Amino acid sequence: MSAVRSVSIKDVARRAGVAISTASLALNGGARVAPETLRRIQDAAMELNYVGNRMARRLKRGRSGVLGVTIFPGFNECHFELAFLIQEEARKHGYATRFFFEDLTRQNDLVQFFGEVNGQIDGLVSYSGPALEQYRQLATMGIPCVFQDSVEAKVDFVAIDFRAGARLATKYLLERGFRKIATFYTGKEVRGELPQERLQGYIDAMTAAGLEYRNLIVEFDGNPFVHEDLYELGRRILQTAPEAVFIRSDFAALTLLRVICDHGLRPGKDIAVVGFDNIKMGRYSNPSLTTIDYDQQWRARKMVEILLARIDGAVLPVQHCVSKCRLVKRESA
Amino acid sequence: MSAVRSVSIKDVARRAGVAISTASLALNGGARVAPETLRRIQDAAMELNYVGNRMARRLKRGRSGVLGVTIFPGFNECHFELAFLIQEEARKHGYATRFFFEDLTRQNDLVQFFGEVNGQIDGLVSYSGPALEQYRQLATMGIPCVFQDSVEAKVDFVAIDFRAGARLATKYLLERGFRKIATFYTGKEVRGELPQERLQGYIDAMTAAGLEYRNLIVEFDGNPFVHEDLYELGRRILQTAPEAVFIRSDFAALTLLRVICDHGLRPGKDIAVVGFDNIKMGRYSNPSLTTIDYDQQWRARKMVEILLARIDGAVLPVQHCVSKCRLVKRESA
DNA sequence: CAAAGTCATCGAAACGTTTCGATTCAATCG
DNA sequence: CGATTGAATCGAAACGTTTCGATGACTTTG
């Protein structure tokens, strides 16, 4: 079964009675082509249903016209939403998007990933994973990177102001009169967020209120995208006997609601909960989640902007963007 | 800014003191190459960090080595999970995967999508959307398709036995002694499932039990992936004053739980609920969801199998696979 | 009217592979 | 020993584009 030989620019040229190069010229903007010839070539292309062979074009141009996006396979709504928005944004600029469901936690995976990526994409949006250093290799391959999370000073990123968000959430709980506010932090950072950014925001607020918090912080080393681990985490948080909990993702918050119920308590009444991310389900959980929201669309736009600038070889200083956070009040606090 | 010229097979050949063609031969299996030469070439490739230019290879071979997967941008866990599993499966066979977040409901999108896809993928896994007929065009372009949902007799698909699943769910509710079991169906089918398959399973069970169901079926024309629409649907379902509800997705079921609460009733106690899909959140909702499970991994494997066979030009009859369903008992029923 | 300048078009090279037919060389056979 | 075989290697074409320098025709200028 041989592949269907599709119509090439050669066919168009022949039909229009013109050289291949002229056809190419005409089809790419048609700057220096006589109007009459241009029309003839366009007609020919139309009639033959010419679409052009991307592989060949890219081979020649040395650019793929594709942006890569790594998606952490935690099946968390936020990951996908951002990916989708990036696709939309990239499309506006004539770029296609290619997604990689990759758990880039081991160096091995990263090596394989680089191989897979090679020559296929012009730029990459990624969460950083633990092996940021490795990404330097991509730069070597001439592939610009923008990170979804704040990582370190030397690379471009469009992050979320986790610290301010956490401060906001904690402050709100304080205003509502709670004093024993628990939270947790993860030692190993799965998504590469600067260690303890959210924790720091919590500490900011607690300190400003002159409150003791040492015994209210639970250390967690499970997978923050796995319900089982989060359930266990919830139990340990409840052992601190808190009046309220600031928890670093809605995903975790939803699980926490369940833990609280299982302990015979009423979330939102006996224990207040504030999450982070404003996932859609949070509006319809019981109780609905008070949470911290940020602008994913803005982030997507920024990321694509930066990436395209880098691809075009613009000389820019390192770009650090941070999305503002805002409190969304609902029933859980 | 010129792209970094990466090391080509030419460099490897030169370094190994051998012709380009020999190097190519050696690097692709090395069938007819002397062991000594083979080693030398491999070493050279190693040292130079040769990775090969996919675009060139594909241009030459006329195959991309990529499977496409369309993902309905409803941000529903099931969609992503299947996509991820397909990626894993494809990788085992040396195929890469390319994902498209596309809402293929309008013909316009489909046309653009086909353009985007052209020459980039060797095969496609897709949900069918309403424009199945259009996919014939892909066949014309030499791109085999497998569908995620049962559509019609003439195309390959690997679906779910919705009807049996629905029957299973309804039967279970009947066994528990419920008589007034409500459900809903959507007139316009977003994901292209054969209209009313699940409804039919429900009817099977109700009929077998000799029960009247006419007034227990609510018609829904909202978007089944949007909480707002589903909330409204839930309210209308409750107007039938049911003892139990069989609802066609866990996503919808979670929202329904909330509706029931808002009506001052206790889901799982005052009204039983059975969902469909066995999403992870269902284990940690309150109450946890009784639901219908099916084997996504098996589906992914089948899909890739079929696609690769078609790509290899195997002459097969139309393939129709259907995943069995199984009941998962939890608190909501 | 010849020289210079424009404009439209063309031919050919190049991108990095794979693949096919040709070539070389040594070993085997009659 | 010359002819035949087979293995190992090579050279060149081809895939479908883009792009650069060249070509010719026609117009303007001095």
Side-chain angles (χ1 to χ4, degrees), chain A residues 185-200:
Chain A
Y185 81 100
T186 67
K188 68 164 199 240
E189 278 293 332
V190 171
R191 284 170 66 204
E193 169 192 349
L194 263 190
Q196 303 151 4
E197 253 197 286
R198 275 176 272 208
L199 179 64
Q200 199 54 57

Side-chain angles (χ1 to χ4, degrees), chain A residues 174 179 202-213:
Chain A
L174 289 167
R179 288 292 166 265
Y202 161 86
I203 292 177
D204 291 349
M206 293 297 272
T207 306
L211 291 174
E212 178 54 49
Y213 52 82

Side-chain angles (χ1 to χ4, degrees), chain A residues 62-227:
Chain A
R63 288 237 184 109
S64 67
V66 177
L67 301 186
V69 180
T70 58
I71 304 179
F72 185 86
F75 303 122
N76 190 332
E77 180 185 310
C78 329
H79 303 330
F80 296 118
E81 191 189 2
L82 184 62
F84 176 70
L85 291 171
I86 291 171
Q87 169 181 276
E88 299 296 287
E89 202 57 40
R91 186 174 289 173
K92 287 184 197 159
H93 296 271
Y95 271 75
T97 322
R98 167 132 193 208
F99 304 99
F100 301 87
F101 287 96
E102 301 289 339
D103 183 354
L104 305 176
T105 43
R106 290 162 305 173
Q107 180 167 343
N108 248 9
D109 297 335
L110 218 55
V111 170
Q112 187 193 354
F113 174 67
F114 284 162
E116 210 166 294
V117 140
N118 166 64
Q120 311 243 59
I121 63 175
D122 297 338
L124 180 72
V125 176
S126 183
Y127 62 95
S128 61
L132 175 66
E133 196 49 44
Q134 307 294 324
Y135 281 93
R136 297 278 149 69
Q137 200 178 323
L138 279 186
T140 311
M141 296 161 67
I143 302 184
C145 276
V146 172
F147 291 90
Q148 295 181 13
D149 31 32
S150 51
V151 249
E152 58 155 78
K154 288 174 264 176
V155 299
D156 294 337
F157 62 72
V158 181
I160 297 160
D161 197 343
F162 285 123
R163 184 164 179 173
R167 207 182 300 130
L168 200 60
T170 313
K171 255 186 178 160
Y172 174 67
L173 286 170
L174 289 167
E175 282 164 19
R176 303 282 308 236
F178 301 112
R179 288 292 166 265
K180 279 193 78 175
I181 304 173
T183 194
F184 80 98
Y185 81 100
T186 67
K188 68 164 199 240
E189 278 293 332
V190 171
R191 284 170 66 204
E193 169 192 349
L194 263 190
Q196 303 151 4
E197 253 197 286
R198 275 176 272 208
L199 179 64
Q200 199 54 57
Y202 161 86
I203 292 177
D204 291 349
M206 293 297 272
T207 306
L211 291 174
E212 178 54 49
Y213 52 82
R214 300 273 154 75
N215 300 324
L216 295 169
I217 300 176
V218 173
E219 187 173 342
F220 172 63
D221 60 358
N223 181 333
F225 300 108
V226 169
H227 288 287

Side-chain angles (χ1 to χ4, degrees), chain B residues 8-44:
Chain B
S8 80
I9 201 173
K10 204 181 296 183
D11 304 314
V12 177
R14 176 144 18 94
R15 179 165 191 129
V18 100
I20 295 181
S21 47
T22 308
S24 174
L25 225 46
L27 264 14
N28 296 356
R32 301 175 23 95
V33 183
E36 152 64 10
T37 318
L38 181 60
R39 203 188 46 69
R40 236 177 39 241
I41 294 175
Q42 284 172 337
D43 286 355

Side-chain angles (χ1 to χ4, degrees), chain B residues 164-173 175-176 246 273-275 278 289-294 324-330 333:
Chain B
R167 206 182 301 131
L168 200 59
T170 313
K171 256 186 177 161
Y172 174 67
L173 287 169
E175 282 164 18
R176 303 283 308 236
F246 162 61
V273 174
V274 178
N278 193 19
L289 275 181
T290 295
T291 189
I292 300 294
D293 186 40
Y294 42 85
K324 292 249 188 313
C325 291
R326 136 192 117 77
L327 180 71
V328 178
K329 297 181 193 174
R330 298 208 193 95

